[in-house]
Amino acid sequence: MAERLAADARKQALGGIPGWTEVQGRDAIGKTFVFKDFNEAFGFMTRAALIAEKMDHHPEWRNVYKTVEVVLSTHDAGGVTRLDVELATAMNAIAKLTSG
Ligand SMILES: C[C@H](O)[C@H](O)[C@H]1CNC2=NC(N)=NC(=O)C2=N1
């Protein structure tokens, strides 16, 4: 099982994934993606879902029209692990392709 990242390791990891920040009040990271329209937002979610399922690591997320709010945390570990950083990194790459 992946280990929770200590605060300094988490901060350093966040420095490498633009737009992701610590969620207030819990051990998790989050980002709000805003796309051109619903089609792009849902395309992003579809691609991200396939990656998440492959990783067996799943996002908490909410979609309203062209906005997708994502929160990542490793429930089994009770906090942020390298799995969250990996999924966040993949989501940034997917978002770039989606809105390309
Ligand atoms: C049994 C299964 O592997 C676990 O429940 C996985 C599934 N997806 C998961 N996703 C996330 N975000 N955190 C987890 O701890 C987690 N655990």
Side-chain angles (χ1 to χ4, degrees), residues 56-60 72-77 84 87:
D56 191 26
H57 196 66
H58 303 90
E60 300 170 34
L72 300 178
S73 171
T74 303
H75 310 129
D76 297 348
D84 301 301
L87 186 53

Side-chain angles (χ1 to χ4, degrees), residues 2 22 32 39 41 59 66 71 77 82 86 93 95:
E22 310 217 24
T32 298
N39 202 39
K66 61 181 182 172
V71 172
R82 63 170 180 80
E86 282 167 22

Side-chain angles (χ1 to χ4, degrees), residues 31-35 37-38 40-42 44-45 60-71 91:
K31 177 171 177 174
T32 298
F33 291 89
V34 181
F35 295 93
D37 54 24
F38 177 76
E40 284 200 355
F42 202 74
F44 164 79
M45 293 178 83
E60 300 170 34
W61 53 8
R62 175 169 187 267
N63 164 237
V64 178
Y65 179 39
K66 61 181 182 172
T67 299
V68 183
E69 293 171 16
V70 185
V71 172
M91 282 183 162

